[in-house]
Amino acid sequence: MSKKDLGLLILILVVGAIVAIINPRFLLPINLANTSNLIGLFGILSIGQAFVIITGGIELSVGSVVALLGTLFIDFIAVRDLDWPLAFVLIIALGAIIGLVHGWLITRLKLQPFVVTLCGLLIYRGVARFYTADGTAGFAFGQNFPELEFLTAGRSWGVPNSFIALIVIAIVMWVVLHRSVFGRYLYAIGKNEEAAKYSGIRTGRVVMAAYVICGVLTALSAIYFAMYTRSISPASHGQFYELYAIAAAVLGGFSLRGGEGSLIGVILGTVLLQELQNLVNLLGIPSSLNFAVMGGVILIGVLVDQQWGVFRARRLMVDASRKNVAGAAAE
């Protein structure tokens, strides 16, 4: 665990202690379970966003993708009577295709990630609204899918299965990011894509793979959100989810410039965000201020990241000058 991650963990514990003192309901098992469920839902989304950010990119369409794929998933199993495992595979495949298209437009046609994903944000939500005729996708009265509901919205030993899924995914993605050649390539591209290219790294393929990973994890989270809400209005479902994901990644130490960050930090960032949301609810702060809190958190995260970078650069310069002075004195 890095110093950034440790500092974030301490902040989480301090904020949690303050909230618990102000309102003891924070520590009630039902509140902790609900918060853990939301951490699981948004954590999966945030891990996908982190893989894109580390390359120096951005994925602004995840909220709209959650709305579109969630709508399609409910429609597949509730209206078209597809077996849910088949519908599950189809949604994951669609998420991968969306990520592949984004990666192709960015790497092959040299479009800016901001432009590509901003267009995706508009297109996917528009398609979702058209698909439902601006209506609502949901389950009919009495429709049940016990196995699917247990896997997505159920609990094991009192722990939400969405949170367990997040832990499993986080372990796998931690290995991919921090213990694999592919992970080192991601960091290299984020630091300096041109240098990575001249080092023999197929940067285009690596970046495309990052967007595919993001698309797959976004599709998975779309299924979890669909089963959590059990009803989707495409006009509003998933709105600003991309901000949650970006904020969690930034708080977790992922630089928007690329090339920095740890997966543990993303999880801790997600925990802090949901803890703050819980604080807003328990303290009776108007829910309309949720987005103000989110914006403030993102701003603080970016400022801290920027100032930390300046501090490290200055410290490296000081250390280098001291070594030069020591070397000159020794001569």
Side-chain angles (χ1 to χ4, degrees), residues 18-98:
I18 293 173
V19 177
I21 292 172
I22 296 175
N23 192 330
R25 286 185 299 168
F26 176 75
L27 296 177
L28 290 177
I30 187 171
N31 183 63
L32 293 177
N34 289 335
T35 303
S36 298
N37 183 45
L38 291 173
I39 290 171
L41 295 175
F42 284 102
I44 295 171
L45 201 66
S46 301
I47 291 174
Q49 183 73 246
F51 268 79
V52 169
I53 289 177
I54 201 169
T55 66
I58 196 82
E59 177 54 88
L60 298 176
S61 67
V62 292
S64 297
V65 173
V66 166
L68 174 60
L69 297 186
T71 297
L72 291 176
F73 183 72
I74 290 179
D75 182 69
F76 287 165
I77 65 175
V79 179
R80 304 185 186 279
D81 294 324
L82 281 181
D83 291 335
W84 72 261
L86 176 59
F88 187 97
V89 172
L90 286 175
I91 294 301
I92 296 298
L94 285 173
I97 291 171
I98 289 173

Side-chain angles (χ1 to χ4, degrees), residues 160-196:
N161 286 334
S162 59
F163 185 79
I164 295 175
L166 170 64
I167 298 303
V168 173
I169 291 169
I171 292 172
V172 174
M173 292 295 101
W174 183 88
V175 173
V176 171
L177 187 61
H178 298 291
R179 290 294 182 269
S180 72
V181 174
F182 174 73
R184 290 196 290 272
Y185 286 172
L186 288 174
Y187 279 103
I189 291 170
K191 284 290 186 182
N192 190 322
E193 185 172 355
E194 286 299 317

